[in-house]
PDB file of all heavy atoms in Angstrom:
ATOM      1  N   LEU A  31      78.111 132.462  93.775  1.00  0.00           N
ATOM      2  CA  LEU A  31      77.637 132.154  95.131  1.00  0.00           C
ATOM      3  C   LEU A  31      78.651 132.562  96.197  1.00  0.00           C
ATOM      4  O   LEU A  31      78.291 132.995  97.280  1.00  0.00           O
ATOM      5  CB  LEU A  31      77.306 130.662  95.256  1.00  0.00           C
ATOM      6  CG  LEU A  31      76.046 130.195  94.543  1.00  0.00           C
ATOM      7  CD1 LEU A  31      75.964 128.664  94.551  1.00  0.00           C
ATOM      8  CD2 LEU A  31      74.816 130.782  95.203  1.00  0.00           C
ATOM      9  N   ALA A  32      79.909 132.408  95.864  1.00  0.00           N
ATOM     10  CA  ALA A  32      80.971 132.767  96.814  1.00  0.00           C
ATOM     11  C   ALA A  32      81.289 134.257  96.777  1.00  0.00           C
ATOM     12  O   ALA A  32      82.070 134.740  97.610  1.00  0.00           O
ATOM     13  CB  ALA A  32      82.231 131.964  96.504  1.00  0.00           C
ATOM     14  N   GLU A  33      80.683 134.958  95.822  1.00  0.00           N
ATOM     15  CA  GLU A  33      80.919 136.391  95.648  1.00  0.00           C
ATOM     16  C   GLU A  33      82.406 136.704  95.470  1.00  0.00           C
ATOM     17  O   GLU A  33      82.969 137.580  96.130  1.00  0.00           O
ATOM     18  CB  GLU A  33      80.312 137.185  96.813  1.00  0.00           C
ATOM     19  CG  GLU A  33      78.814 137.024  96.914  1.00  0.00           C
ATOM     20  CD  GLU A  33      78.201 137.763  98.095  1.00  0.00           C
ATOM     21  OE1 GLU A  33      78.928 138.427  98.860  1.00  0.00           O
ATOM     22  OE2 GLU A  33      76.965 137.672  98.240  1.00  0.00           O
ATOM     23  N   VAL A  34      83.027 135.933  94.573  1.00  0.00           N
ATOM     24  CA  VAL A  34      84.425 136.160  94.220  1.00  0.00           C
ATOM     25  C   VAL A  34      84.535 136.277  92.708  1.00  0.00           C
ATOM     26  O   VAL A  34      83.658 135.850  91.961  1.00  0.00           O
ATOM     27  CB  VAL A  34      85.357 135.039  94.741  1.00  0.00           C
ATOM     28  CG1 VAL A  34      85.372 135.001  96.253  1.00  0.00           C
ATOM     29  CG2 VAL A  34      84.979 133.694  94.172  1.00  0.00           C
ATOM     30  N   ASN A  35      85.639 136.822  92.283  1.00  0.00           N
ATOM     31  CA  ASN A  35      85.901 137.047  90.879  1.00  0.00           C
ATOM     32  C   ASN A  35      86.324 135.748  90.200  1.00  0.00           C
ATOM     33  O   ASN A  35      87.230 135.064  90.677  1.00  0.00           O
ATOM     34  CB  ASN A  35      87.002 138.110  90.767  1.00  0.00           C
ATOM     35  CG  ASN A  35      87.301 138.511  89.361  1.00  0.00           C
ATOM     36  OD1 ASN A  35      87.509 137.661  88.499  1.00  0.00           O
ATOM     37  ND2 ASN A  35      87.353 139.815  89.129  1.00  0.00           N
ATOM     38  N   LEU A  36      85.707 135.433  89.081  1.00  0.00           N
ATOM     39  CA  LEU A  36      86.037 134.221  88.330  1.00  0.00           C
ATOM     40  C   LEU A  36      87.513 134.204  87.925  1.00  0.00           C
ATOM     41  O   LEU A  36      88.180 133.170  88.025  1.00  0.00           O
ATOM     42  CB  LEU A  36      85.138 134.105  87.096  1.00  0.00           C
ATOM     43  CG  LEU A  36      85.385 132.934  86.150  1.00  0.00           C
ATOM     44  CD1 LEU A  36      85.157 131.615  86.875  1.00  0.00           C
ATOM     45  CD2 LEU A  36      84.473 133.029  84.933  1.00  0.00           C
ATOM     46  N   ALA A  37      88.019 135.339  87.513  1.00  0.00           N
ATOM     47  CA  ALA A  37      89.421 135.411  87.087  1.00  0.00           C
ATOM     48  C   ALA A  37      90.366 135.069  88.243  1.00  0.00           C
ATOM     49  O   ALA A  37      91.385 134.405  88.040  1.00  0.00           O
ATOM     50  CB  ALA A  37      89.734 136.797  86.534  1.00  0.00           C
ATOM     51  N   SER A  38      90.029 135.508  89.461  1.00  0.00           N
ATOM     52  CA  SER A  38      90.912 135.215  90.596  1.00  0.00           C
ATOM     53  C   SER A  38      90.903 133.720  90.926  1.00  0.00           C
ATOM     54  O   SER A  38      91.930 133.169  91.313  1.00  0.00           O
ATOM     55  CB  SER A  38      90.536 136.049  91.819  1.00  0.00           C
ATOM     56  OG  SER A  38      89.286 135.657  92.329  1.00  0.00           O
ATOM     57  N   VAL A  39      89.762 133.084  90.768  1.00  0.00           N
ATOM     58  CA  VAL A  39      89.702 131.637  90.999  1.00  0.00           C
ATOM     59  C   VAL A  39      90.545 130.919  89.954  1.00  0.00           C
ATOM     60  O   VAL A  39      91.314 130.012  90.279  1.00  0.00           O
ATOM     61  CB  VAL A  39      88.243 131.129  90.999  1.00  0.00           C
ATOM     62  CG1 VAL A  39      88.194 129.616  91.042  1.00  0.00           C
ATOM     63  CG2 VAL A  39      87.487 131.720  92.181  1.00  0.00           C
ATOM     64  N   ASN A  40      90.419 131.337  88.701  1.00  0.00           N
ATOM     65  CA  ASN A  40      91.237 130.737  87.644  1.00  0.00           C
ATOM     66  C   ASN A  40      92.720 130.975  87.889  1.00  0.00           C
ATOM     67  O   ASN A  40      93.548 130.093  87.668  1.00  0.00           O
ATOM     68  CB  ASN A  40      90.829 131.280  86.269  1.00  0.00           C
ATOM     69  CG  ASN A  40      89.569 130.625  85.756  1.00  0.00           C
ATOM     70  OD1 ASN A  40      89.341 129.436  85.969  1.00  0.00           O
ATOM     71  ND2 ASN A  40      88.735 131.399  85.092  1.00  0.00           N
ATOM     72  N   TYR A  41      93.061 132.180  88.366  1.00  0.00           N
ATOM     73  CA  TYR A  41      94.448 132.504  88.649  1.00  0.00           C
ATOM     74  C   TYR A  41      95.006 131.604  89.759  1.00  0.00           C
ATOM     75  O   TYR A  41      96.099 131.059  89.644  1.00  0.00           O
ATOM     76  CB  TYR A  41      94.576 133.976  89.049  1.00  0.00           C
ATOM     77  CG  TYR A  41      95.970 134.345  89.503  1.00  0.00           C
ATOM     78  CD1 TYR A  41      96.987 134.568  88.580  1.00  0.00           C
ATOM     79  CD2 TYR A  41      96.267 134.461  90.862  1.00  0.00           C
ATOM     80  CE1 TYR A  41      98.263 134.895  88.995  1.00  0.00           C
ATOM     81  CE2 TYR A  41      97.541 134.792  91.286  1.00  0.00           C
ATOM     82  CZ  TYR A  41      98.534 135.006  90.354  1.00  0.00           C
ATOM     83  OH  TYR A  41      99.801 135.324  90.772  1.00  0.00           O
ATOM     84  N   HIS A  42      94.252 131.446  90.856  1.00  0.00           N
ATOM     85  CA  HIS A  42      94.743 130.692  92.015  1.00  0.00           C
ATOM     86  C   HIS A  42      94.666 129.192  91.828  1.00  0.00           C
ATOM     87  O   HIS A  42      95.511 128.451  92.350  1.00  0.00           O
ATOM     88  CB  HIS A  42      93.972 131.086  93.279  1.00  0.00           C
ATOM     89  CG  HIS A  42      94.305 132.448  93.766  1.00  0.00           C
ATOM     90  ND1 HIS A  42      95.499 132.767  94.358  1.00  0.00           N
ATOM     91  CD2 HIS A  42      93.600 133.600  93.736  1.00  0.00           C
ATOM     92  CE1 HIS A  42      95.528 134.036  94.683  1.00  0.00           C
ATOM     93  NE2 HIS A  42      94.370 134.581  94.313  1.00  0.00           N
ATOM     94  N   PHE A  43      93.656 128.709  91.106  1.00  0.00           N
ATOM     95  CA  PHE A  43      93.449 127.267  91.015  1.00  0.00           C
ATOM     96  C   PHE A  43      93.612 126.713  89.610  1.00  0.00           C
ATOM     97  O   PHE A  43      93.849 125.515  89.453  1.00  0.00           O
ATOM     98  CB  PHE A  43      92.061 126.891  91.561  1.00  0.00           C
ATOM     99  CG  PHE A  43      91.889 127.286  93.004  1.00  0.00           C
ATOM    100  CD1 PHE A  43      91.154 128.408  93.349  1.00  0.00           C
ATOM    101  CD2 PHE A  43      92.483 126.542  94.012  1.00  0.00           C
ATOM    102  CE1 PHE A  43      91.006 128.776  94.669  1.00  0.00           C
ATOM    103  CE2 PHE A  43      92.350 126.906  95.336  1.00  0.00           C
ATOM    104  CZ  PHE A  43      91.607 128.036  95.671  1.00  0.00           C
ATOM    105  N   GLY A  44      93.443 127.521  88.597  1.00  0.00           N
ATOM    106  CA  GLY A  44      93.662 127.066  87.225  1.00  0.00           C
ATOM    107  C   GLY A  44      92.463 126.413  86.565  1.00  0.00           C
ATOM    108  O   GLY A  44      92.287 126.528  85.376  1.00  0.00           O
ATOM    109  N   SER A  45      91.652 125.710  87.348  1.00  0.00           N
ATOM    110  CA  SER A  45      90.492 125.025  86.771  1.00  0.00           C
ATOM    111  C   SER A  45      89.509 124.657  87.871  1.00  0.00           C
ATOM    112  O   SER A  45      89.850 124.680  89.060  1.00  0.00           O
ATOM    113  CB  SER A  45      90.932 123.743  86.049  1.00  0.00           C
ATOM    114  OG  SER A  45      91.390 122.777  86.992  1.00  0.00           O
ATOM    115  N   LYS A  46      88.316 124.307  87.444  1.00  0.00           N
ATOM    116  CA  LYS A  46      87.300 123.866  88.401  1.00  0.00           C
ATOM    117  C   LYS A  46      87.764 122.592  89.102  1.00  0.00           C
ATOM    118  O   LYS A  46      87.573 122.429  90.308  1.00  0.00           O
ATOM    119  CB  LYS A  46      85.965 123.636  87.685  1.00  0.00           C
ATOM    120  CG  LYS A  46      84.858 123.187  88.634  1.00  0.00           C
ATOM    121  CD  LYS A  46      83.501 123.164  87.958  1.00  0.00           C
ATOM    122  CE  LYS A  46      83.272 121.853  87.262  1.00  0.00           C
ATOM    123  NZ  LYS A  46      81.895 121.687  86.786  1.00  0.00           N
ATOM    124  N   GLU A  47      88.393 121.710  88.353  1.00  0.00           N
ATOM    125  CA  GLU A  47      88.870 120.450  88.939  1.00  0.00           C
ATOM    126  C   GLU A  47      89.895 120.707  90.040  1.00  0.00           C
ATOM    127  O   GLU A  47      89.863 120.068  91.087  1.00  0.00           O
ATOM    128  CB  GLU A  47      89.461 119.537  87.850  1.00  0.00           C
ATOM    129  CG  GLU A  47      88.442 118.980  86.887  1.00  0.00           C
ATOM    130  CD  GLU A  47      87.973 119.980  85.823  1.00  0.00           C
ATOM    131  OE1 GLU A  47      88.638 121.035  85.629  1.00  0.00           O
ATOM    132  OE2 GLU A  47      86.926 119.717  85.205  1.00  0.00           O
ATOM    133  N   ASN A  48      90.794 121.660  89.798  1.00  0.00           N
ATOM    134  CA  ASN A  48      91.798 121.988  90.820  1.00  0.00           C
ATOM    135  C   ASN A  48      91.154 122.627  92.048  1.00  0.00           C
ATOM    136  O   ASN A  48      91.577 122.377  93.174  1.00  0.00           O
ATOM    137  CB  ASN A  48      92.874 122.913  90.249  1.00  0.00           C
ATOM    138  CG  ASN A  48      93.767 122.206  89.261  1.00  0.00           C
ATOM    139  OD1 ASN A  48      93.810 120.986  89.184  1.00  0.00           O
ATOM    140  ND2 ASN A  48      94.479 122.995  88.464  1.00  0.00           N
ATOM    141  N   LEU A  49      90.146 123.449  91.823  1.00  0.00           N
ATOM    142  CA  LEU A  49      89.414 124.049  92.945  1.00  0.00           C
ATOM    143  C   LEU A  49      88.744 122.955  93.776  1.00  0.00           C
ATOM    144  O   LEU A  49      88.833 122.958  95.011  1.00  0.00           O
ATOM    145  CB  LEU A  49      88.375 125.052  92.442  1.00  0.00           C
ATOM    146  CG  LEU A  49      87.436 125.637  93.505  1.00  0.00           C
ATOM    147  CD1 LEU A  49      88.213 126.438  94.545  1.00  0.00           C
ATOM    148  CD2 LEU A  49      86.358 126.490  92.844  1.00  0.00           C
TER     149      LEU A  49
END
Side-chain angles (χ1 to χ4, degrees):
L31 288 171
E33 298 178 0
V34 296
N35 184 310
L36 177 62
S38 68
V39 172
N40 282 324
Y41 174 79
H42 289 288
F43 300 103
S45 69
K46 181 171 86 170
E47 291 77 15
N48 290 344
L49 174 63

